[in-house]
């Protein structure tokens, strides 16, 4: 898959939401697990411009929404000023006496060391705190990977592997569920452009010739009536701090 760099997300902040329909759908699906009232203080990591944050404000009296990209944070402030916004990395969350809830959406698959992040979240969470989080897992963009497996900068994990990482970091999973989202595009170039405009970039190690070949194969193998499709597999999890 394409890689994501903080400066790319930062650069794309003003247009991110226009090119993130899957992330928006995933945020709505994850929000189905939210209670009507969220005990504060609550923390959201990788909040971006607020696609999931908008489901949290109004449910809690104090929400800290954080992201590594300053322009994403500014967009969030402009859209959702009721949250307390902060520029922070997911692996070094804003300190607190103990967050009662921790949230993230469409973040974890990008982290270079998710185990370290889960452990950091455990440190800033109060005993018995709840984690509600969702991210993309193995099976995402499977059509593209069949044509171009070397495009992924990381090894995709399945639900069981993620469960084990959470358990090792001190989180007890209460429930988990996966859902597949399907996007339709005019062709592979349109698919790749949408992903790129949301902040992802092709790894530099991949040459232009190989990319063009992969896109031709994508079009050939996946074209149907109305264009091509891309698959996104999203895992949502609720866990308790042990």
């Amino acid at each position: 898959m394409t890689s994501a760099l903080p400066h790319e997300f930062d650069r794309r902040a003003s247009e991110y939401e226009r090119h993130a329909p899957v992330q928006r759908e995933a945020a709505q699906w994850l929000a189905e697990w939210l209670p009507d009232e969220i005990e504060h203080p609550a923390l959201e990591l990788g909040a971006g411009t607020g696609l999931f944050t908008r489901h949290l404000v109004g449910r809690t009296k104090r929400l800290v929404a954080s992201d590594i990209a300053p322009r994403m944070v500014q967009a969030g402030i402009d859209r959702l000023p009721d949250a307390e916004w902060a520029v922070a990395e997911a692996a070094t969350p804003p300190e607190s006496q103990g967050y009662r809830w921790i949230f993230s959406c469409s973040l974890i698959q990008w982290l270079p060391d998710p185990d370290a992040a889960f452990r950091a979240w455990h440190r800033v969470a109060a005993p018995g705190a709840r984690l509600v989080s969702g991210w993309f897992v193995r099976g995402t963009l499977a059509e593209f990977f069949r044509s171009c497996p070397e495009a992924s900068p990381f090894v995709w994990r399945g639900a069981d592997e993620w469960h084990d990482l959470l358990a090792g970091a001190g989180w007890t999973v209460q429930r988990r569920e996966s859902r597949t989202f399907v996007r339709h595009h005019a062709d592979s170039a349109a698919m790749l452009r949408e992903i790129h405009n949301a902040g992802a970039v092709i790894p530099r190690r991949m040459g232009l010739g190989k990319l063009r070949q992969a896109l031709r194969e994508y079009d050939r193998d996946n074209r149907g009536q109305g264009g091509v499709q891309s698959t996104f597999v999203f895992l949502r999890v609720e866990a308790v701090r042990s």
Side-chain angles (χ1 to χ4, degrees):
M1 187 182 177
T2 52
S3 61
L5 302 173
H7 69 265
E8 284 295 327
F9 280 124
D10 196 53
R11 191 166 69 88
R12 300 284 181 176
S14 64
E15 57 186 310
Y16 173 78
E17 293 199 14
R18 296 200 304 274
H19 301 288
V22 176
Q23 291 87 340
R24 181 179 295 106
E25 278 191 89
Q28 292 172 346
W29 188 58
L30 180 60
E32 293 177 3
W33 279 1
L34 296 177
D36 291 336
E37 294 186 7
I38 296 171
E39 188 178 0
H40 64 278
L43 170 67
E44 184 187 6
L45 296 142
T49 58
L51 283 179
F52 188 64
T53 317
R54 65 196 59 184
H55 298 284
L56 301 174
V57 295
R59 298 174 190 257
T60 181
K61 294 180 179 178
R62 184 189 174 205
L63 170 67
V64 178
S66 66
D67 196 273
I68 193 173
R71 277 183 272 192
M72 286 279 197
V73 168
Q74 186 57 55
I77 292 171
D78 294 341
R79 291 184 173 100
L80 299 162
D82 289 341
E84 298 177 28
W85 288 86
V87 177
E89 294 187 31
T92 54
E95 294 294 332
S96 168
Q97 293 181 342
Y99 293 105
R100 300 301 307 171
W101 289 82
I102 294 180
F103 305 99
S104 73
C105 187
S106 302
L107 164 70
I108 296 173
Q109 74 275 0
W110 295 121
L111 300 182
D113 190 347
D115 179 61
F118 287 148
R119 293 178 186 275
W121 301 358
H122 188 274
R123 286 195 298 273
V124 300
R130 290 193 170 268
L131 168 69
V132 175
S133 184
W135 59 95
F136 295 100
V137 299
R138 184 184 299 136
T140 296
L141 291 177
E143 303 88 349
F144 185 46
F145 290 150
R146 280 196 293 269
S147 301
C148 193
E150 67 272 32
S152 178
F154 50 80
V155 177
W156 286 89
R157 296 177 175 91
D160 288 343
E161 295 168 282
W162 284 112
H163 186 287
D164 291 344
L165 275 182
L166 282 162
W171 295 96
T172 301
V173 174
Q174 300 292 296
R175 54 178 171 169
R176 73 185 202 200
E177 187 178 4
S178 297
R179 178 177 172 182
T180 297
F181 297 90
V182 177
R183 287 283 296 155
H184 296 277
H185 316 272
D187 53 28
S188 60
M191 177 276 299
L192 197 62
R193 187 163 51 249
E194 180 174 273
I195 294 172
H196 177 75
N197 286 339
V201 294
I202 293 292
R204 291 183 179 180
R205 68 175 181 268
M206 187 169 181
L208 184 57
K210 176 60 179 175
L211 175 60
R212 287 173 174 168
Q213 178 185 345
L215 293 178
R216 286 195 297 269
E217 292 175 2
Y218 192 113
D219 286 328
R220 180 196 66 203
D221 297 340
N222 297 284
R223 184 171 294 281
Q225 185 175 4
V228 300
Q229 73 173 35
S230 56
T231 299
F232 297 81
V233 183
F234 191 79
L235 172 69
R236 63 181 179 182
V237 171
E238 182 173 1
V240 175
R241 184 191 189 277
S242 304

